[in-house]
Amino acid sequence: MAVTIKTPEEIEKMRVAGRLAAEVLDMITPQVEAGITTGELDQICHDYMVNVQDAVPAPLNYRGFPRSICTSVNHQVCHGIPGDKQLKKSDIVNIDITVIKDGYHGDTSRMFAIGDISQLARRVTRVAYDCMWIGIELVKPGSHLGDIGHAIQTYAESNNCSVVREYCGHGIGKVFHEDPQVLHYGKAGTGMVLEPGMTFTIEPMVNIGKRHTKLLGDQWTVVTKDRSLSAQWEHTILVTDDGYEVLTLSPTEAGRQPPPDWK
Ligand code: MF3
Ligand code: CO
Ligand code: CO
């Protein structure tokens, strides 16, 4: 599959889809508290996307995924299936939202802390956030994809964390997962050269322990092999004529702005 260059009309639709995905995260934020189940979070997000946004939750039935959002708690790396699990104090959870609006996808995820979290949990969450932004800030025409992966890997490893290799960012548009693959590790100066009009996600998964992962028996939930904590953030990015535009920023988000208590 070739990399698609989006037209101005397509870019406008990607902006709308991206904003809607961010707004689902804004909407759910006050509800992400001790006692709620991941299944309840899924139901609230599903109803909001379908009834308020008139949008389609992309994960639902995607390759057989049974729910409308992904919720990945603690040592779960990604693709956690919402269910009966109640969130409790000291948990960290990633909520990953992908909406389809007018045929185009917006894909974004954030970490949430339940009550006070451990210093390790704060660290892996903060390192993953910084990794995402270090990658985003390298996006411009002429950059190589390998520049992004290299910078993310270097930063994570210099902070005593590891980067998951089995899952990566991806081109996105009319199709949920399209070319290119955006690896969160690699070698500078290698890989595809970026051009204006490309749209892709940057979504590093960072572990406090070793990088290796395991797929659970449900065939979706990815966990760290050593059961160490894992964190992930994701934005959908457009390559512009002179840099990047983050398509999944919410009106409440000024840009790179880590929650201060995660320092
Ligand atoms: N939103 C995820 C991503 O960032 C993909 C989830 S696929 C699903 O690419 F089927 F698990 F929903
Ligand atoms: Co994605
Ligand atoms: Co996602």
Side-chain angles (χ1 to χ4, degrees):
M1 199 203 312
V3 172
T4 59
I5 302 294
K6 273 72 182 179
T7 65
E9 293 73 29
E10 289 183 292
I11 289 168
E12 199 43 51
K13 291 180 181 182
M14 295 284 295
R15 285 194 182 102
V16 173
R19 179 174 46 77
L20 292 177
E23 286 175 353
V24 176
L25 288 172
D26 289 348
M27 178 280 300
I28 202 65
T29 296
Q31 311 246 37
V32 188
E33 287 199 304
I36 196 159
T37 68
T38 53
E40 288 165 339
L41 293 173
D42 174 73
Q43 189 64 54
I44 298 164
C45 290
H46 174 94
D47 291 345
Y48 190 79
M49 288 184 263
V50 170
N51 300 325
V52 178
Q53 297 185 329
D54 197 17
V56 175
L60 187 59
N61 300 321
Y62 176 78
R63 300 190 184 177
F65 191 79
R67 296 289 205 139
S68 295
I69 69 172
C70 297
T71 51
S72 304
V73 183
N74 294 334
H75 67 289
Q76 297 180 347
V77 172
C78 63
H79 304 166
I81 302 175
D84 294 336
K85 188 198 281 279
Q86 259 189 352
L87 296 177
K88 58 176 195 316
K89 286 203 168 87
S90 90
D91 281 346
I92 54 173
V93 56
N94 173 278
I95 301 182
D96 193 339
I97 302 292
T98 312
V99 309
I100 308 171
K101 181 73 174 181
D102 210 357
Y104 288 81
H105 291 73
D107 188 8
T108 183
S109 80
R110 298 180 197 156
M111 296 298 296
F112 298 84
I114 312 302
D116 289 332
I117 58 174
S118 70
Q119 202 174 320
L120 283 182
R122 288 203 301 275
R123 189 151 65 82
V124 73
T125 299
R126 196 260 306 156
V127 171
Y129 183 87
D130 287 338
C131 280
M132 177 186 68
W133 276 103
I134 284 166
I136 291 171
E137 287 172 354
L138 287 169
V139 173
K140 60 172 189 299
S143 284
H144 290 258
L145 278 180
D147 302 347
I148 294 169
H150 177 76
I152 289 171
Q153 180 182 12
T154 301
Y155 184 80
E157 291 177 356
S158 69
N159 280 275
N160 279 312
C161 292
S162 64
V163 174
V164 169
R165 308 240 176 145
E166 294 89 348
Y167 305 89
C168 59
H170 49 92
I172 183 168
K174 263 196 255 206
V175 173
F176 192 168
H177 296 105
E178 61 181 34
D179 278 347
Q181 295 200 59
V182 181
L183 305 183
H184 304 112
Y185 62 93
K187 219 175 141 200
T190 67
M192 203 186 67
V193 177
L194 302 186
E195 291 173 37
M198 291 178 176
T199 51
F200 53 81
T201 70
I202 297 181
E203 48 179 304
M205 286 142 276
V206 174
N207 302 344
I208 202 80
K210 294 203 161 61
R211 67 174 177 81
H212 305 92
T213 64
K214 196 176 97 179
L215 186 62
L216 294 189
D218 63 18
Q219 297 303 313
W220 278 106
T221 310
V222 178
V223 298
T224 55
K225 215 170 185 176
D226 62 9
R227 302 225 140 205
S228 65
L229 290 172
S230 188
Q232 177 180 32
W233 296 77
E234 173 176 26
H235 272 310
T236 299
I237 312 298
L238 164 72
V239 185
T240 62
D241 288 336
D242 58 357
Y244 64 87
E245 180 179 329
V246 181
L247 299 177
T248 40
L249 278 183
S250 84
T252 64
E253 229 181 333
R256 183 172 179 168
Q257 205 180 48
D261 56 332
W262 288 4
K263 277 291 180 196

